[in-house]
Amino acid sequence: MHIGTTLSQFIIEETRLYPGASGDFAGLLNDLTISCKFIGAQVYRGALVGALGSAGTDNVQGEVQKKLDIISNEAILKSMDWTGHLAGMASEEMDDPYPIPRNIPRGKYLLLFDPLDGSSNTDVGISVGTIFSILKAPVVGRDAELADFLQPGVEQVCAGYALYGSSNMLVYSTGYGVNGFTLDPSIGEYILTHNQMRIPEDTSEYAINMSNHRHWQKPVQRYIDELNQGTDGPRQRNFNMRWVGSMVADVHRILCRGGIFLYPFDQRDPKKPGKLRLLYEANPMSYLVEQAG
């Protein structure tokens, strides 16, 4: 029986598209996938290992942290800080960038991540995931500074996510399209299952949290109202709303079936113009959506 293309094989073959590549980037991605396998295992075991429920702390965003938030954050930090591929890391769950240990060489890349997107859903068995973004370090060989992480999304050299749902999937892009891999637990390897993913151009699905309707600005309200009017409205077509509450799951569905995901500004607190974090969520997901057409 043929195993299929493993993620490790795919990364190596993709690296050959870049003349003069040192292999550091391939090593970085391989190391990152180990933490995704570990986090997926913790999510699936959940209550069996006492990993569900609140940790009793808040993150830098003011959100209540789940035990799995902390477990996932530590898993990525400890899988990556020793590798020598990174000059620094930044996590949605931490106030400040994470410094690489003193005895480890400083690498060429920066890693930014949301260790467990949608973690509030873990207690009820809904799909969650890890989102990551990789940037080049502006100065190789020194510790990353805060300003080094504040690069525009077009500077990303890689973005992706791991989805912990009915299966453990890893989806990523390095600028040559989007490819998806499914973890085969019998051999512990991610196998290429979704080659060159393309968002369908036509669909009848959209994802938005309708409970915030009254707080949206008028143009957004009007657009969603038109969708809800279906064949009786100006678009003369019926639409279905899908809202998981985990960005990873909602965006993954769009990559597979098409549609649009919205988390618009609302007017409850004008000091908070948006919900999504630019570096950890919006930039990497935008990169993937663009690469998928």
Side-chain angles (χ1 to χ4, degrees):
M1 179 180 175
H2 179 55
I3 292 176
T5 302
T6 67
L7 177 60
S8 298
Q9 176 186 345
F10 188 89
I11 291 172
I12 292 171
E13 291 178 348
E14 193 174 49
T15 301
R16 293 174 183 151
L17 298 173
Y18 298 87
S22 64
D24 283 354
F25 183 75
L28 189 165
L29 271 182
N30 270 313
D31 291 332
L32 184 58
T33 63
I34 294 173
S35 60
C36 293
K37 293 175 187 176
F38 174 83
I39 294 168
Q42 299 307 302
V43 169
Y44 294 143
R45 294 170 71 192
L48 297 175
V49 293
L52 299 184
S54 171
T57 55
D58 293 347
N59 65 14
V60 65
Q61 322 293 341
E63 299 170 330
V64 175
Q65 288 180 307
K66 296 288 187 177
K67 293 177 184 177
L68 277 168
D69 282 318
I70 297 173
I71 292 170
S72 302
N73 194 64
E74 279 296 304
I76 295 175
L77 294 177
K78 297 309 177 186
S79 291
M80 303 304 298
D81 68 359
W82 63 273
T83 63
H85 302 311
L86 299 171
M89 289 184 274
S91 165
E92 183 185 322
E93 297 299 327
M94 300 173 65
D95 294 0
D96 301 299
Y98 177 86
I100 302 300
R102 290 185 178 181
N103 60 326
I104 303 297
R106 271 55 183 157
K108 297 185 287 189
Y109 299 100
L110 305 175
L111 175 64
L112 303 91
F113 59 91
D114 179 351
L116 199 62
D117 173 73
S119 60
S120 61
N121 288 323
T122 53
D123 294 350
V124 292
I126 292 176
S127 298
V128 294
T130 299
I131 307 173
F132 60 89
S133 169
I134 300 172
L135 299 165
K136 286 186 177 179
V139 180
V140 178
R142 69 153 167 80
D143 288 323
E145 300 174 354
L146 179 61
D148 295 344
F149 293 92
L150 307 180
Q151 300 181 36
V154 294
E155 297 298 328
Q156 294 174 104
V157 295
C158 177
Y161 60 82
L163 175 71
Y164 315 121
S166 56
S167 58
N168 182 332
M169 280 195 68
L170 187 84
V171 177
Y172 84 98
S173 175
T174 60
Y176 287 92
V178 179
N179 293 283
F181 302 78
T182 302
L183 182 65
D184 182 345
S186 67
I187 59 173
E189 288 283 354
Y190 283 107
I191 306 297
L192 179 64
T193 51
H194 295 63
N195 189 33
Q196 287 295 307
M197 299 174 74
R198 302 293 291 178
I199 298 175
E201 294 184 8
D202 195 30
T203 186
S204 297
E205 294 183 347
Y206 67 98
I208 197 168
N209 186 349
M210 278 296 292
S211 66
N212 293 329
H213 182 282
R214 67 191 186 280
H215 301 297
W216 297 332
Q217 294 171 309
K218 294 297 182 183
V220 178
Q221 289 180 340
R222 183 177 69 244
Y223 172 65
I224 297 301
D225 289 343
E226 288 180 2
L227 298 183
N228 288 337
Q229 290 165 20
T231 54
D232 297 326
R235 297 177 183 269
Q236 300 181 329
R237 179 175 180 173
N238 289 323
F239 294 88
N240 293 319
M241 190 191 78
R242 298 287 184 264
W243 182 254
V244 179
S246 299
M247 187 188 188
V248 166
D250 280 310
V251 172
H252 183 73
R253 184 185 59 252
I254 289 167
L255 282 174
C256 294
R257 297 202 317 215
I260 185 170
F261 170 89
L262 303 91
Y263 208 126
F265 165 77
D266 65 53
Q267 301 175 80
R268 285 173 293 179
D269 186 352
K271 296 178 182 178
K272 297 180 179 178
K275 171 73 172 177
L276 300 178
R277 286 80 185 186
L278 180 66
L279 299 182
Y280 309 118
E281 296 170 326
N283 276 351
M285 288 306 196
S286 296
Y287 186 88
L288 290 172
V289 167
E290 183 179 64
Q291 284 292 317

Coordinates of all heavy atoms in Angstrom, one line a residue, residues 76-157:
I76 N 4.1 24.9 21.8 CA 4.8 25.5 20.7 C 6.1 26.2 21.1 O 7.1 26.0 20.4 CB 3.9 26.6 20.0 CG1 2.6 25.9 19.4 CG2 4.6 27.3 18.9 CD1 1.6 26.8 18.9
L77 N 6.1 26.9 22.2 CA 7.3 27.5 22.7 C 8.4 26.5 22.9 O 9.6 26.7 22.4 CB 7.1 28.3 24.0 CG 6.1 29.5 23.9 CD1 5.9 30.1 25.3 CD2 6.6 30.6 23.0
K78 N 8.1 25.4 23.5 CA 9.2 24.4 23.9 C 9.5 23.5 22.7 O 10.6 22.9 22.7 CB 8.7 23.6 25.1 CG 8.5 24.3 26.3 CD 9.7 25.2 26.7 CE 9.5 26.1 27.9 NZ 10.6 27.0 28.1
S79 N 8.7 23.5 21.7 CA 9.0 22.7 20.5 C 9.9 23.6 19.6 O 10.6 23.0 18.7 CB 7.7 22.4 19.7 OG 7.0 21.4 20.3
M80 N 9.9 24.9 19.7 CA 10.6 25.8 18.8 C 11.8 26.5 19.3 O 12.6 27.0 18.6 CB 9.5 26.8 18.2 CG 8.3 26.1 17.6 SD 8.7 25.0 16.2 CE 9.5 26.1 15.1
D81 N 11.8 26.7 20.6 CA 12.9 27.7 21.2 C 14.3 27.1 21.1 O 15.2 27.9 21.2 CB 12.5 28.2 22.6 CG 12.6 27.1 23.6 OD1 12.9 25.9 23.3 OD2 12.3 27.4 24.8
W82 N 14.4 25.8 20.9 CA 15.8 25.2 20.9 C 16.3 25.0 19.5 O 17.5 24.6 19.4 CB 15.7 23.9 21.6 CG 14.8 22.9 20.9 CD1 13.5 22.7 21.1 CD2 15.2 22.0 19.9 NE1 13.0 21.8 20.2 CE2 14.0 21.3 19.5 CE3 16.4 21.6 19.3 CZ2 14.0 20.3 18.5 CZ3 16.4 20.7 18.3 CH2 15.2 20.0 17.9
T83 N 15.5 25.2 18.5 CA 15.9 24.7 17.2 C 17.0 25.5 16.5 O 17.7 25.0 15.6 CB 14.6 24.8 16.3 OG1 14.2 26.2 16.1 CG2 13.5 24.0 16.9
G84 N 17.2 26.8 16.8 CA 18.2 27.6 16.1 C 17.6 28.2 14.9 O 18.4 28.9 14.1
H85 N 16.3 28.0 14.6 CA 15.8 28.6 13.3 C 15.2 30.0 13.6 O 14.9 30.7 12.6 CB 14.6 27.7 12.8 CG 15.1 26.3 12.5 ND1 16.2 26.0 11.8 CD2 14.5 25.1 12.9 CE1 16.3 24.7 11.7 NE2 15.4 24.1 12.3
L86 N 15.0 30.3 14.8 CA 14.2 31.5 15.1 C 15.0 32.6 15.9 O 15.9 32.3 16.6 CB 13.0 31.2 16.0 CG 11.9 30.2 15.4 CD1 10.9 29.8 16.4 CD2 11.3 30.9 14.2
A87 N 14.6 33.9 15.6 CA 15.2 35.0 16.4 C 14.2 35.4 17.5 O 14.6 36.2 18.3 CB 15.5 36.2 15.5
G88 N 13.0 34.9 17.4 CA 12.0 35.3 18.4 C 10.7 34.7 18.1 O 10.4 34.3 17.0
M89 N 9.8 34.7 19.1 CA 8.4 34.3 18.9 C 7.4 35.3 19.6 O 7.8 35.9 20.6 CB 8.2 32.9 19.5 CG 8.9 31.8 18.7 SD 8.5 30.1 19.4 CE 9.8 30.0 20.7
A90 N 6.2 35.4 19.1 CA 5.2 36.2 19.7 C 3.9 35.4 19.7 O 3.6 34.7 18.6 CB 5.0 37.5 18.9
S91 N 3.2 35.4 20.8 CA 1.9 34.6 20.9 C 0.8 35.5 21.4 O 1.0 36.4 22.1 CB 2.2 33.5 21.9 OG 0.9 32.9 22.4
E92 N -0.4 35.1 20.9 CA -1.6 35.9 21.3 C -1.8 35.7 22.8 O -2.4 36.6 23.4 CB -2.8 35.3 20.6 CG -4.1 36.1 20.9 CD -5.3 35.5 20.3 OE1 -5.3 35.1 19.1 OE2 -6.4 35.6 21.0
E93 N -1.3 34.7 23.4 CA -1.5 34.5 24.8 C -0.5 35.1 25.7 O -0.6 35.0 27.0 CB -1.5 33.0 25.1 CG -2.6 32.2 24.4 CD -4.0 32.6 24.8 OE1 -4.1 33.0 26.0 OE2 -4.9 32.6 24.0
M94 N 0.5 35.9 25.2 CA 1.6 36.5 26.0 C 1.6 38.0 25.8 O 1.4 38.5 24.7 CB 2.9 35.8 25.6 CG 2.9 34.3 25.8 SD 4.5 33.6 25.1 CE 5.7 34.3 26.2
D95 N 2.0 38.7 26.9 CA 2.1 40.1 26.8 C 3.2 40.6 26.0 O 3.1 41.7 25.3 CB 2.3 40.7 28.3 CG 1.1 40.4 29.2 OD1 0.1 39.9 28.7 OD2 1.1 40.8 30.3
D96 N 4.3 39.9 26.0 CA 5.5 40.3 25.3 C 6.1 39.2 24.4 O 5.8 38.0 24.6 CB 6.6 40.8 26.3 CG 6.1 41.9 27.2 OD1 5.8 43.0 26.7 OD2 6.1 41.7 28.4
P97 N 6.9 39.6 23.4 CA 7.6 38.5 22.6 C 8.4 37.6 23.5 O 8.9 38.0 24.6 CB 8.5 39.3 21.7 CG 7.8 40.6 21.5 CD 7.2 40.9 22.9
Y98 N 8.5 36.3 23.1 CA 9.2 35.3 23.8 C 10.7 35.3 23.4 O 10.9 35.1 22.2 CB 8.6 34.0 23.6 CG 9.3 32.8 24.2 CD1 9.0 32.4 25.6 CD2 10.2 32.0 23.6 CE1 9.6 31.4 26.2 CE2 10.8 30.9 24.2 CZ 10.5 30.6 25.5 OH 11.1 29.5 26.1
P99 N 11.6 35.5 24.3 CA 13.0 35.5 23.9 C 13.6 34.1 23.8 O 13.2 33.2 24.5 CB 13.7 36.2 25.0 CG 12.8 36.0 26.2 CD 11.4 35.9 25.7
I100 N 14.4 33.9 22.8 CA 15.1 32.6 22.6 C 16.1 32.4 23.7 O 16.8 33.4 24.1 CB 15.8 32.6 21.2 CG1 14.8 32.8 20.1 CG2 16.5 31.2 21.0 CD1 13.6 31.8 20.0
P101 N 16.2 31.2 24.3 CA 17.2 31.0 25.4 C 18.6 31.4 25.0 O 19.0 31.3 23.8 CB 17.1 29.5 25.6 CG 15.7 29.1 25.2 CD 15.4 30.0 24.0
R102 N 19.4 31.8 25.9 CA 20.7 32.4 25.7 C 21.7 31.5 24.9 O 22.5 32.0 24.1 CB 21.4 32.9 27.0 CG 20.7 34.1 27.7 CD 21.4 34.5 28.9 NE 20.8 35.7 29.5 CZ 21.3 36.2 30.6 NH1 22.4 35.8 31.2 NH2 20.7 37.3 31.1
N103 N 21.6 30.2 25.2 CA 22.6 29.3 24.7 C 22.2 28.8 23.3 O 22.9 27.9 22.7 CB 22.8 28.1 25.6 CG 21.5 27.3 25.8 OD1 20.4 27.9 25.9 ND2 21.6 26.0 26.0
I104 N 21.1 29.3 22.7 CA 20.7 28.9 21.4 C 21.0 29.9 20.3 O 20.8 31.1 20.5 CB 19.1 28.6 21.4 CG1 18.8 27.6 22.5 CG2 18.7 28.2 20.1 CD1 19.4 26.2 22.3
P105 N 21.5 29.5 19.2 CA 21.8 30.4 18.1 C 20.5 31.1 17.6 O 19.5 30.6 17.7 CB 22.4 29.5 17.0 CG 22.8 28.3 17.6 CD 21.9 28.1 18.8
R106 N 20.7 32.4 17.2 CA 19.6 33.2 16.7 C 19.4 32.9 15.2 O 20.4 33.0 14.5 CB 19.8 34.7 16.9 CG 19.3 35.2 18.3 CD 19.9 34.4 19.5 NE 19.3 34.9 20.7 CZ 19.3 34.2 21.8 NH1 19.7 33.0 21.8 NH2 18.8 34.7 23.0
G107 N 18.2 32.5 14.8 CA 17.9 32.1 13.5 C 17.5 33.3 12.6 O 17.5 34.4 13.0
K108 N 17.0 32.9 11.4 CA 16.6 33.9 10.4 C 15.1 34.2 10.4 O 14.7 35.1 9.6 CB 17.0 33.3 9.0 CG 18.5 33.1 8.8 CD 18.8 32.7 7.4 CE 18.3 31.3 7.1 NZ 18.8 30.8 5.8
Y109 N 14.3 33.6 11.2 CA 12.9 33.7 11.1 C 12.2 34.1 12.4 O 12.8 34.0 13.5 CB 12.2 32.4 10.6 CG 12.7 32.0 9.3 CD1 13.7 31.0 9.2 CD2 12.2 32.6 8.1 CE1 14.2 30.6 7.9 CE2 12.7 32.2 6.9 CZ 13.7 31.2 6.8 OH 14.1 30.9 5.5
L110 N 11.0 34.7 12.3 CA 10.2 35.0 13.4 C 8.9 34.2 13.3 O 8.3 34.0 12.2 CB 9.8 36.5 13.4 CG 10.9 37.5 13.4 CD1 10.3 38.9 13.3 CD2 11.8 37.4 14.6
L111 N 8.4 33.7 14.5 CA 7.2 32.9 14.5 C 6.1 33.6 15.3 O 6.4 34.0 16.5 CB 7.4 31.5 15.1 CG 6.2 30.6 15.3 CD1 5.6 30.3 13.9 CD2 6.6 29.3 16.0
L112 N 5.0 33.8 14.7 CA 3.8 34.4 15.4 C 2.7 33.4 15.4 O 2.5 32.8 14.4 CB 3.4 35.7 14.8 CG 4.4 36.8 14.6 CD1 5.2 36.7 13.3 CD2 3.8 38.2 14.7
F113 N 2.0 33.3 16.5 CA 0.9 32.2 16.5 C -0.2 32.5 17.5 O 0.0 33.2 18.5 CB 1.6 30.9 16.8 CG 2.3 30.8 18.1 CD1 1.7 30.4 19.3 CD2 3.7 31.1 18.2 CE1 2.4 30.3 20.5 CE2 4.4 31.0 19.4 CZ 3.7 30.6 20.5
D114 N -1.3 32.0 17.2 CA -2.5 31.8 18.1 C -2.5 30.4 18.5 O -2.9 29.5 17.6 CB -3.8 32.3 17.5 CG -5.0 32.2 18.4 OD1 -4.8 31.5 19.4 OD2 -6.1 32.6 18.0
P115 N -2.1 30.0 19.7 CA -1.9 28.6 19.9 C -3.1 27.7 19.9 O -3.1 26.6 19.5 CB -1.3 28.6 21.4 CG -1.6 29.9 21.9 CD -1.7 30.8 20.8
L116 N -4.3 28.3 20.3 CA -5.5 27.5 20.2 C -6.7 28.5 19.9 O -7.4 28.9 20.8 CB -5.8 26.7 21.5 CG -6.8 25.6 21.4 CD1 -6.2 24.5 20.3 CD2 -7.0 24.9 22.7
D117 N -6.9 28.8 18.7 CA -8.0 29.6 18.3 C -9.4 28.9 18.5 O -9.5 27.7 18.2 CB -7.9 29.9 16.7 CG -9.1 30.6 16.2 OD1 -9.3 31.8 16.5 OD2 -9.9 30.0 15.5
G118 N -10.3 29.6 19.1 CA -11.6 29.0 19.4 C -11.6 28.2 20.7 O -12.5 27.3 20.8
S119 N -10.7 28.4 21.6 CA -10.5 27.5 22.7 C -11.8 27.5 23.6 O -12.0 26.6 24.4 CB -9.3 27.9 23.5 OG -9.4 29.3 24.0
S120 N -12.6 28.6 23.6 CA -13.8 28.5 24.4 C -14.8 27.4 24.0 O -15.7 27.0 24.7 CB -14.6 29.9 24.2 OG -14.9 30.1 22.9
N121 N -14.5 26.8 22.8 CA -15.4 25.7 22.3 C -14.9 24.3 22.7 O -15.5 23.3 22.4 CB -15.4 25.8 20.8 CG -16.3 26.9 20.3 OD1 -17.3 27.3 20.8 ND2 -15.9 27.5 19.2
T122 N -13.7 24.3 23.3 CA -13.2 22.9 23.6 C -14.0 22.1 24.6 O -14.1 20.9 24.5 CB -11.7 23.1 24.2 OG1 -11.8 23.9 25.4 CG2 -10.8 23.6 23.2
D123 N -14.7 22.8 25.5 CA -15.5 22.1 26.5 C -16.8 21.5 25.9 O -17.4 20.6 26.5 CB -16.0 23.1 27.6 CG -14.8 23.6 28.4 OD1 -13.7 23.0 28.3 OD2 -15.0 24.5 29.2
V124 N -17.1 21.9 24.7 CA -18.3 21.3 24.0 C -18.0 20.6 22.7 O -18.9 20.3 21.9 CB -19.4 22.4 23.7 CG1 -19.9 22.9 25.1 CG2 -18.8 23.6 23.0
G125 N -16.7 20.3 22.5 CA -16.3 19.4 21.4 C -16.4 20.0 20.0 O -16.5 19.2 19.1
I126 N -16.3 21.3 19.9 CA -16.3 22.0 18.6 C -14.9 22.1 18.1 O -14.0 22.3 18.9 CB -17.1 23.3 18.7 CG1 -18.6 23.1 19.0 CG2 -16.9 24.1 17.4 CD1 -19.4 24.3 19.2
S127 N -14.7 22.1 16.8 CA -13.4 22.2 16.2 C -12.7 23.5 16.6 O -13.3 24.6 16.6 CB -13.6 22.2 14.6 OG -14.1 21.0 14.2
V128 N -11.4 23.3 16.9 CA -10.5 24.5 17.2 C -9.3 24.3 16.4 O -9.1 23.4 15.6 CB -10.2 24.5 18.7 CG1 -11.5 24.8 19.5 CG2 -9.6 23.2 19.2
G129 N -8.3 25.2 16.6 CA -7.1 25.1 15.8 C -6.0 26.0 16.2 O -6.1 26.9 17.1
T130 N -4.8 25.8 15.6 CA -3.6 26.7 15.8 C -3.4 27.4 14.5 O -3.4 26.9 13.4 CB -2.4 25.8 16.1 OG1 -2.6 25.0 17.3 CG2 -1.1 26.6 16.2
I131 N -3.2 28.8 14.7 CA -2.9 29.6 13.5 C -1.4 30.1 13.6 O -1.0 30.5 14.7 CB -3.8 30.8 13.4 CG1 -5.3 30.4 13.5 CG2 -3.6 31.6 12.2 CD1 -6.3 31.6 13.6
F132 N -0.7 30.1 12.5 CA 0.7 30.6 12.6 C 1.1 31.4 11.4 O 0.5 31.3 10.3 CB 1.7 29.4 12.8 CG 1.6 28.4 11.6 CD1 2.5 28.5 10.5 CD2 0.8 27.3 11.7 CE1 2.4 27.6 9.5 CE2 0.8 26.3 10.6 CZ 1.6 26.5 9.5
S133 N 2.1 32.3 11.6 CA 2.6 33.2 10.6 C 4.1 33.2 10.8 O 4.6 33.3 11.9 CB 2.0 34.6 10.8 OG 2.7 35.5 10.0
I134 N 4.8 33.1 9.7 CA 6.3 33.2 9.7 C 6.8 34.4 8.9 O 6.4 34.6 7.8 CB 6.9 31.8 9.2 CG1 6.4 30.7 10.0 CG2 8.4 31.9 9.2 CD1 6.8 29.3 9.4
L135 N 7.7 35.1 9.5 CA 8.3 36.3 8.9 C 9.8 36.1 8.9 O 10.4 35.4 9.7 CB 8.0 37.6 9.7 CG 6.5 37.9 9.8 CD1 6.3 39.0 10.9 CD2 5.9 38.5 8.5
K136 N 10.5 36.9 8.1 CA 12.0 36.9 8.1 C 12.4 37.9 9.2 O 11.8 39.0 9.3 CB 12.5 37.3 6.8 CG 12.5 36.2 5.7 CD 13.2 36.6 4.5 CE 13.2 35.5 3.4 NZ 13.9 35.9 2.2
A137 N 13.4 37.5 10.0 CA 14.0 38.5 11.0 C 14.7 39.6 10.2 O 15.5 39.3 9.4 CB 14.9 37.7 11.9
P138 N 14.4 40.8 10.5 CA 15.1 42.0 9.8 C 16.6 41.9 10.0 O 17.3 42.3 9.1 CB 14.5 43.2 10.5 CG 13.2 42.8 11.0 CD 13.4 41.3 11.5
V139 N 17.1 41.5 11.1 CA 18.5 41.4 11.4 C 18.8 39.9 11.9 O 18.3 39.5 12.9 CB 19.0 42.4 12.4 CG1 20.5 42.2 12.6 CG2 18.6 43.8 12.0
V140 N 19.6 39.2 11.1 CA 19.9 37.8 11.5 C 21.0 37.8 12.5 O 22.0 38.6 12.4 CB 20.3 37.0 10.2 CG1 20.7 35.6 10.6 CG2 19.2 37.0 9.2
G141 N 20.8 37.0 13.5 CA 21.9 36.8 14.5 C 21.7 37.5 15.8 O 22.5 37.4 16.7
R142 N 20.7 38.3 15.9 CA 20.4 39.0 17.2 C 19.0 38.7 17.7 O 18.1 38.2 16.9 CB 20.6 40.5 17.1 CG 19.6 41.3 16.2 CD 19.4 42.7 16.7 NE 18.7 43.5 15.8 CZ 17.3 43.6 15.7 NH1 16.6 42.8 16.4 NH2 16.8 44.4 14.8
D143 N 18.7 39.0 18.9 CA 17.4 38.8 19.5 C 16.4 39.7 18.8 O 16.7 40.9 18.5 CB 17.4 39.1 21.0 CG 18.1 38.1 21.8 OD1 18.0 36.9 21.5 OD2 18.8 38.4 22.8
A144 N 15.2 39.2 18.5 CA 14.2 40.0 17.9 C 13.7 41.0 18.8 O 13.5 40.8 20.0 CB 13.0 39.1 17.5
E145 N 13.4 42.2 18.3 CA 12.8 43.3 19.1 C 11.4 43.4 18.7 O 10.9 42.9 17.7 CB 13.6 44.6 18.7 CG 15.0 44.6 19.1 CD 15.8 45.8 18.6 OE1 15.1 46.7 17.9 OE2 17.0 45.9 18.9
L146 N 10.6 44.1 19.6 CA 9.2 44.2 19.4 C 8.8 44.7 18.0 O 8.0 44.2 17.3 CB 8.6 45.1 20.4 CG 7.1 45.4 20.3 CD1 6.3 44.1 20.5 CD2 6.6 46.4 21.4
A147 N 9.6 45.7 17.5 CA 9.3 46.3 16.2 C 9.5 45.3 15.1 O 8.9 45.5 14.0 CB 10.1 47.6 16.0
D148 N 10.3 44.3 15.3 CA 10.6 43.4 14.2 C 9.4 42.6 13.8 O 9.2 42.1 12.7 CB 11.7 42.4 14.6 CG 13.1 43.1 14.9 OD1 13.2 44.2 14.4 OD2 13.9 42.5 15.5
F149 N 8.5 42.4 14.8 CA 7.3 41.6 14.5 C 6.2 42.4 13.8 O 5.2 41.8 13.2 CB 6.7 41.1 15.8 CG 7.5 40.1 16.6 CD1 8.5 40.5 17.5 CD2 7.4 38.7 16.3 CE1 9.3 39.6 18.2 CE2 8.2 37.8 16.9 CZ 9.2 38.2 17.9
L150 N 6.3 43.7 13.8 CA 5.2 44.5 13.2 C 5.4 44.8 11.8 O 5.5 45.9 11.3 CB 5.2 45.9 14.0 CG 5.1 45.7 15.5 CD1 5.0 47.1 16.2 CD2 3.9 44.9 15.9
Q151 N 5.5 43.7 11.0 CA 5.6 43.8 9.6 C 4.3 43.6 8.9 O 3.4 43.0 9.4 CB 6.6 42.7 9.1 CG 8.0 42.7 9.7 CD 8.9 41.6 9.1 OE1 8.8 41.2 8.0 NE2 9.7 41.1 10.0
P152 N 4.1 44.2 7.7 CA 2.9 44.1 7.0 C 2.7 42.6 6.5 O 3.6 41.9 6.4 CB 3.0 45.0 5.8 CG 4.5 45.2 5.6 CD 5.0 45.1 7.0
G153 N 1.4 42.2 6.3 CA 1.1 40.9 6.0 C 1.7 40.4 4.7 O 2.0 39.2 4.6
V154 N 2.0 41.3 3.8 CA 2.6 40.9 2.5 C 4.1 40.4 2.7 O 4.7 39.8 1.8 CB 2.6 42.0 1.5 CG1 1.2 42.3 1.1 CG2 3.3 43.3 2.0
E155 N 4.7 40.6 3.9 CA 6.0 40.2 4.2 C 6.1 38.8 4.7 O 7.2 38.2 4.9 CB 6.7 41.1 5.2 CG 6.8 42.6 4.7 CD 7.7 42.7 3.4 OE1 8.7 41.8 3.3 OE2 7.5 43.6 2.6
Q156 N 4.9 38.1 4.9 CA 4.9 36.8 5.4 C 5.6 35.8 4.4 O 5.4 35.9 3.2 CB 3.5 36.3 5.7 CG 2.8 37.0 6.8 CD 1.3 36.6 6.9 OE1 1.0 35.9 7.8 NE2 0.5 37.1 6.0
V157 N 6.4 34.9 4.9 CA 7.0 33.9 4.0 C 6.2 32.6 4.1 O 6.4 31.7 3.3 CB 8.5 33.7 4.3 CG1 9.3 34.9 4.1 CG2 8.7 33.2 5.8

